[in-house]
Amino acid sequence: MKRPTIDDIARRAGVSKGAVSFALNGRPGVSSETRRRIQAIAAELGWQPNSLARALFDGRPDVLGLVVDRPARTLGLEPFFMQLISGIEATLSAASVGLLLQMTEDHEAEIAIYRKWWAQHRVAGVFVVDLRVQDARIAVLEELRLPAVVIGGPGGTGRLPAVWIDDGGALAAVIEHLAGLGHRRIARVAGPEELMHTGVRTAAMRATAARLGVESVTVYADYGGESGERATLDLLRGPDRPTAIVYDNDVMAVAGTAAAREAGISVPGELAVVAWDDSALCLLARPHLTAVSRDIAACGAHAARALLDLVRGREVADARLANPRMVSRGSTAPVHEPVQRNVETKRV
């Protein structure tokens, strides 16, 4: 069914489009009788105002955008994005602003979406997530002058304001905790290597391990359960099997814990496990997982308030949010030297 337009109303009323615009927007330029007739015709046709055009005219945002460059299957399993979006949505809903969410699995496609949104005036501003090393999106958004807030950092965000959490400090605290329990061979199953926060955590792990005199190794995965399981089994098959593994998200931590237990390795007796980002998944695992806890919904809410301010023409500065804290549960304990056994590779 074709959506009625101002042209349709003008033809029915026998007036110009300008007169219709004046009448429907409450502006002077038409008589009271003509205004009432035009409004009656608009109601009869079921005409509704173009919310984006009205927003641009009023100088207020109606829709903000978020593009997530992750496989849909991964996004659906990872609590991080659900919590982040809930924080964003709660703030935007209170301001009667909508969120346009689009997923892609290609970095260039994400940039193309920004250009399309800008050209079509689809959104008043965008949230940028999963900041990359030398991220091409930053320069594009600066070129377009499309208001944007980066959820990530610090650094690498150009002139765009950023909302970030101290990933490096949190990772250092985890390594210090494990070293304090006597662990001297600590591994980490990280997310994609090209992500900025992955590099920040990796640098913090190396520096902290060197300072404390413990061995460390980082392997990279894709945040999915299958990749976390494969990385875990690879580490456990090695000659210098770690006594502790830190995972960059809860999905990989749960999968890695299950893989270790299926291989006959006791958690935490022979292997300590720490998950990054506490969630309900950490309480479903057995044992319950020690985890790094961040208020992700609060991060989303702060980013939403910052972007609303930005599109309204206000100055917005970078914001460092509260430091994460570690929640100690049953998956970490003082070190025991692992019993040497063959770890079979499970086909996944």
Side-chain angles (χ1 to χ4, degrees), residues 71-79 82 103:
R73 60 178 179 80
T74 302
L75 183 65
L77 292 172
E78 194 170 7
M82 298 303 102
M103 289 184 292

Side-chain angles (χ1 to χ4, degrees), residues 33-189:
E33 180 182 347
T34 300
R35 187 186 307 278
R36 285 193 296 271
R37 185 160 56 88
I38 290 172
Q39 290 173 341
I41 291 171
E44 179 187 343
L45 294 176
W47 177 85
Q48 294 292 327
N50 183 316
S51 61
L52 183 56
R54 177 70 60 83
L56 292 172
F57 177 80
D58 291 343
R60 63 180 178 82
D62 258 278
V63 180
L64 301 178
L66 170 63
V67 182
V68 180
D69 185 10
R70 295 276 187 94
R73 60 178 179 80
T74 302
L75 183 65
L77 292 172
E78 194 170 7
F80 171 85
F81 275 107
M82 298 303 102
Q83 294 178 43
L84 182 72
I85 292 171
S86 73
I88 292 173
E89 272 286 6
T91 301
L92 297 188
S93 295
S96 298
V97 175
L99 178 67
L100 178 58
L101 173 64
Q102 189 158 343
M103 289 184 292
T104 179
E105 298 184 24
D106 178 82
H107 196 49
E108 294 303 319
E110 180 178 351
I111 290 175
I113 290 169
Y114 292 140
R115 293 189 182 279
K116 178 181 178 181
W117 283 354
W118 173 82
Q120 297 179 349
H121 298 287
R122 294 285 301 279
V123 299
V126 296
F127 301 95
V128 180
V129 295
D130 284 342
L131 184 65
R132 293 167 172 79
V133 179
Q134 298 180 338
D135 199 316
R137 297 173 296 175
I138 304 303
V140 170
L141 291 169
E142 289 179 337
E143 171 200 338
L144 296 175
R145 296 186 180 180
L146 180 62
V149 168
V150 179
I151 301 175
T157 62
R159 297 190 301 273
L160 305 183
V163 175
W164 60 281
I165 295 172
D166 184 7
D167 286 278
L171 199 286
V174 170
I175 302 304
E176 289 169 353
H177 173 74
L178 292 171
L181 293 175
H183 293 277
R184 291 295 177 266
R185 292 191 299 277
I186 304 173
R188 173 167 153 259
V189 178

Side-chain angles (χ1 to χ4, degrees), residues 178 186-189 232 235-236 242-247 271-275:
L178 292 171
I186 304 173
R188 173 167 153 259
V189 178
T232 300
L235 288 167
L236 297 179
T243 62
I245 301 179
V246 182
Y247 293 86
L271 179 70
V273 171
V274 178

Side-chain angles (χ1 to χ4, degrees), residues 6-7 14-15 38 46 61 100-101 111 217 221 242 259 285 288-289 332:
I6 285 180
D7 285 335
V15 298
I38 290 172
L100 178 58
L101 173 64
I111 290 175
V217 61
H288 295 172
L289 300 185
T332 51

Side-chain angles (χ1 to χ4, degrees), residues 169-299:
L171 199 286
V174 170
I175 302 304
E176 289 169 353
H177 173 74
L178 292 171
L181 293 175
H183 293 277
R184 291 295 177 266
R185 292 191 299 277
I186 304 173
R188 173 167 153 259
V189 178
E193 190 171 6
E194 67 271 15
L195 296 181
M196 178 75 77
H197 68 259
T198 300
V200 169
R201 295 178 192 178
T202 301
M205 181 168 183
R206 288 173 179 165
T208 307
R211 172 168 56 83
L212 298 176
V214 302
E215 299 176 23
S216 71
V217 61
T218 295
V219 297
Y220 299 96
D222 67 1
Y223 289 132
E226 292 182 359
S227 67
E229 180 176 345
R230 285 194 297 269
T232 300
L233 293 175
D234 287 344
L235 288 167
L236 297 179
R237 286 199 306 267
D240 296 318
R241 200 169 86 199
T243 62
I245 301 179
V246 182
Y247 293 86
D248 266 16
N249 80 343
D250 43 3
V251 175
M252 295 193 298
V254 170
T257 301
R261 294 185 66 190
E262 288 178 12
I265 294 172
S266 170
V267 177
E270 297 176 74
L271 179 70
V273 171
V274 178
W276 196 286
D277 283 337
D278 195 11
S279 74
L281 288 181
C282 296
L283 297 176
L284 293 175
R286 291 295 181 270
H288 295 172
L289 300 185
T290 294
V292 176
S293 178
R294 304 181 290 174
D295 193 339
I296 301 168
C299 177

